[in-house]
Amino acid sequence: MQALPPYKKVRDKIAVQKPTRIMFTGSKSLHKYIGLIALVYFLLMAISGVLLNHPLMIRGISVPPGWLPPGFRHVNWDRMAMREVVFSPNDRSTMMVGGRAGVWQSRDGGHTFSALGAGFPSSAYDRDTFCLLLTASSRPPYLYAGTRSGLYRYDFKQAHWQAIDRDHFGNVEIVDLVQRKDQLLVWTGSGCYILDETQARPVLHPTALRSDTPAPVRAPLTRLLLRLHDGSVLGVPGKLMVDGVGLLLGFLSFSAIFIWFIPWRNKHLKTRGNGSRLFRSLHMYHRKVGIWAAVLLAIIALTGVFIRPPFRQTIAGSRVPAGWLGKARSAVHGWERIDRAVYLAQDDSILIATDNGFFKGPADFSRPFEKLVINLPVGGMGLDVLDPLTDGRLLMGSFRGLYVWDPATNAITNIRGRSTAGGHNPGKSVDRAVGAAIFKGELLFWADYREGLKMVRSDAAQPVMPPEIAAHAGLSLWHVLFLIHNGRIFQDWIGNYTGWIVPIGGIALVIVVLSGSYDWLHRKGVWRKKKKNGQPRPTPKAHPALVKRVR
């Protein structure tokens, strides 16, 4: 006992270090066990995130329906198997249906269908059809299809598709097709083109589409977070940077398996010493790569948490300066993305739906388009239905319902007969409209994303989805990766709790990043007291007797 006083200072130092040691031990446990629990999730997010940024790399790969959960197989034209329906002008029994399963034709009112597949893209990504247009007034009649991979024309005599101007539009998404008298207007997400078929090979010429409406000064915060998440806020360099972070997350997850498994194997299987060199190498690079990528990993994780429900609702009304989103087309046109377009014959004009609302202008593009105030609820993915009805009315639909808009009175009525005026909140609609069938200005039936076909006219025949779609029409690998990345691929197993996968996974990644950074700083001696010259004090070594007594 008399020998203890010389070590009193050392004992005090050990006592001071105890809280730091406790925090370090707890931090290591958090980093280890949360990391191991979420390891597979981190790997899935890393792989899917990188590939989602480059869809053209995997456009040719399709996933068969047998490999998908039951809830993601087509039933009754659901899940965008029916996006557009066109009829023969004088024969309602002849119809063409376009959607994710390609283009199908029926000559018996929808009882049977045959695929129009000769010359059409075969992969699920490329054959995804957004719009159809039948030019029955021309001789010979043609069927046009706007797909994710460009514009195609079907010749009924030759029973074959032909790609239009593939050299320039082979990788361009065609969002809508509009016929104005003898002109065919082809709409992409960024502009409008006129189809010129006077040459040997049809080509597309750009129009003078413009708007005097100033670009929005502020933009939704969720849009900024989404662009931070995928790196597009910085353009191509930003996407490549995020790709690099995704690859680093994959390495960290992969190396974590060995860092945990090698000590476990040596301890339980008595193979001490085996793999020690691999363990040291992986452990060293795991720490270095982790601290280098810590800030970017935390940003990607947090942005992922807030761009998905339920945390998205907490920032739904927040807006930021539009300049923070980087260079955008809205600075030129007043919008950044075109969703749909429709020709209004009564005044020879065109109405387009964009991410910044609705714009109307002359069909010859002689004047700038002007913005209209239409208080229509539109889902975050944009407008999916925009078609003319009788008496100048328009049918408009998205993931927030299907509505009829009367331009004369500016009245908007839900397809179920409820008006959006008088305090009714149309945002609570249970309908998710993705397609509609209109014959001579009258709505016959429409397609809901989750429930499929919904009949409006009782005397109209209900088209029967061909069994070939259910048996062979799978999803593109890009779409499957998107479902994995947002967690919806698991909805068949966990139901309504699916929305919590991404927030919990993102929070887990933030905890792993913070705990790993703390561990690295602790090992570097950041928390140790420094001498006057700035050098850290060495860790004191206690006398064995003191250590024994303290224990």
Side-chain angles (χ1 to χ4, degrees):
M1 294 296 294
Q2 295 181 355
L4 288 178
Y7 301 99
K8 183 176 180 181
K9 294 182 179 180
V10 176
R11 183 181 63 190
D12 294 341
K13 290 179 180 179
I14 295 175
V16 169
Q17 291 176 357
K18 277 186 177 181
T20 306
R21 287 183 178 179
I22 294 173
M23 291 180 64
F24 177 62
T25 303
S27 178
K28 282 203 306 181
S29 298
L30 282 174
H31 190 78
K32 176 181 178 180
Y33 294 110
I34 293 182
L36 288 175
I37 292 172
L39 187 62
V40 175
Y41 175 82
F42 294 160
L43 278 172
L44 289 175
M45 292 299 105
I47 296 171
S48 61
V50 172
L51 293 177
L52 284 174
N53 258 358
H54 305 279
L56 298 184
M57 293 175 54
I58 56 175
R59 63 188 296 176
I61 305 176
S62 304
V63 179
W67 293 13
L68 300 172
F72 291 92
R73 302 169 192 171
H74 293 300
V75 178
N76 189 32
W77 301 103
D78 66 348
R79 298 192 175 277
M80 298 184 178
M82 178 185 287
R83 272 201 177 110
E84 186 86 85
V85 182
V86 294
F87 296 89
S88 175
N90 301 316
D91 184 8
R92 197 169 74 179
S93 63
T94 300
M95 68 178 73
M96 277 68 68
V97 177
R100 278 186 175 161
V103 182
W104 296 75
Q105 181 183 31
S106 174
R107 296 183 179 274
D108 56 7
H111 294 290
T112 59
F113 282 86
S114 58
L116 303 181
F120 208 63
S122 58
S123 70
Y125 183 88
D126 290 330
R127 72 166 177 253
D128 192 358
T129 304
F130 292 91
C131 49
L132 295 174
L133 179 65
L134 179 63
T135 57
S137 58
S138 62
R139 291 290 182 268
Y142 288 119
L143 175 65
Y144 294 88
T147 72
R148 199 181 288 273
S149 58
L151 178 65
Y152 290 82
R153 183 180 69 182
Y154 186 77
D155 189 327
F156 289 94
K157 290 186 177 180
Q158 299 181 3
H160 195 275
W161 291 96
Q162 175 191 2
I164 303 297
D165 204 354
R166 190 163 182 80
D167 294 338
H168 300 94
F169 291 86
N171 297 323
V172 178
E173 186 176 290
I174 308 299
V175 299
D176 214 343
L177 299 170
V178 174
Q179 186 170 16
R180 182 240 178 184
K181 300 179 181 179
D182 294 333
Q183 283 185 336
L184 178 60
L185 304 179
V186 180
W187 297 82
T188 69
S190 58
C192 178
Y193 300 82
I194 298 177
L195 178 63
D196 181 6
E197 298 182 279
T198 59
Q199 305 180 27
R201 298 182 60 186
V203 294
L204 295 169
H205 299 296
T207 62
L209 177 64
R210 65 192 190 278
S211 171
D212 287 344
T213 302
V217 179
R218 302 186 69 80
L221 175 59
T222 52
R223 191 177 300 175
L224 173 63
L225 296 181
L226 179 60
R227 295 195 175 187
L228 286 172
H229 190 74
D230 64 8
S232 59
V233 69
L234 299 177
V236 175
K239 284 197 169 187
L240 294 177
M241 181 178 64
V242 171
D243 291 342
V245 176
L247 294 175
L248 293 180
L249 178 59
F251 168 77
L252 293 172
S253 303
F254 186 75
S255 60
I257 298 174
F258 290 92
I259 293 173
W260 166 79
F261 176 72
I262 292 175
W264 181 90
R265 182 197 61 182
N266 293 343
K267 179 179 179 180
H268 293 85
L269 303 182
K270 299 182 179 179
T271 55
R272 193 175 301 277
N274 293 342
S276 58
R277 181 177 298 179
L278 176 63
F279 173 82
R280 288 195 298 269
S281 178
L282 288 176
H283 195 233
M284 177 183 68
Y285 285 107
H286 185 88
R287 286 185 292 171
K288 288 186 176 181
V289 170
I291 198 65
W292 290 341
V295 175
L296 292 177
L297 282 173
I299 291 175
I300 292 176
L302 287 174
T303 53
V305 168
F306 282 96
I307 61 178
R308 291 288 299 163
F311 288 93
R312 178 171 181 160
Q313 279 73 7
T314 63
I315 60 171
S318 302
R319 307 183 75 83
V320 296
W324 292 7
L325 272 64
K327 187 178 180 180
R329 290 188 293 269
S330 59
V332 179
H333 296 306
W335 60 79
E336 188 173 347
R337 184 193 74 244
I338 297 173
D339 296 326
R340 285 286 182 176
V342 63
Y343 174 64
L344 306 177
Q346 59 268 27
D347 57 358
D348 192 29
S349 63
I350 291 177
L351 178 71
I352 60 176
T354 74
D355 62 329
N356 190 31
F358 296 88
F359 291 78
K360 185 180 179 181
D364 59 358
F365 305 98
S366 59
R367 298 191 309 275
F369 277 54
E370 299 178 355
K371 188 173 184 179
L372 299 182
V373 179
I374 304 177
N375 297 320
L376 180 80
V378 178
M381 298 178 66
L383 201 71
D384 295 300
V385 178
L386 181 58
D387 293 305
L389 299 173
T390 56
D391 302 329
R393 297 172 302 154
L394 292 176
L395 184 69
M396 300 178 172
S398 70
F399 268 35
R400 293 187 65 182
L402 186 63
Y403 302 88
V404 176
W405 175 57
D406 188 348
T409 61
N410 203 25
I412 300 174
T413 306
N414 189 287
I415 194 63
R416 300 176 183 274
R418 300 184 64 183
S419 172
T420 60
H424 170 56
N425 182 8
K428 295 183 178 180
S429 174
V430 296
D431 299 325
R432 294 188 176 186
V434 295
I438 298 174
F439 182 72
K440 294 185 177 180
E442 185 175 5
L443 177 63
L444 303 183
F445 52 85
W446 58 282
D448 183 90
Y449 178 79
R450 293 171 296 188
E451 301 178 10
L453 197 66
K454 290 181 175 290
M455 300 301 297
V456 176
R457 283 282 302 270
S458 58
D459 60 337
Q462 179 172 347
V464 179
M465 190 185 80
E468 293 86 353
I469 292 181
H472 305 294
L475 294 176
S476 66
L477 177 60
W478 185 91
H479 189 199
V480 172
L481 292 173
F482 180 71
L483 294 174
I484 292 174
H485 205 72
N486 61 30
R488 289 195 289 127
I489 194 73
F490 305 105
Q491 72 179 16
D492 280 5
W493 298 290
I494 60 178
N496 295 331
Y497 297 101
T498 303
W500 287 97
I501 291 179
V502 171
I504 292 176
I507 293 172
L509 181 55
V510 171
I511 293 174
V512 169
V513 169
L514 292 178
S515 58
S517 301
Y518 179 85
D519 296 350
W520 184 85
L521 293 172
H522 181 89
R523 294 176 186 275
K524 287 295 182 180
V526 174
W527 320 121
R528 300 177 193 167
K529 293 182 179 180
K530 294 185 178 182
K531 291 183 179 180
K532 293 182 179 180
N533 59 4
Q535 297 297 323
R537 294 181 180 272
T539 302
K541 297 182 180 180
H543 190 275
L546 176 61
V547 174
K548 186 175 181 180
R549 285 175 179 270
V550 171
R551 290 178 180 174

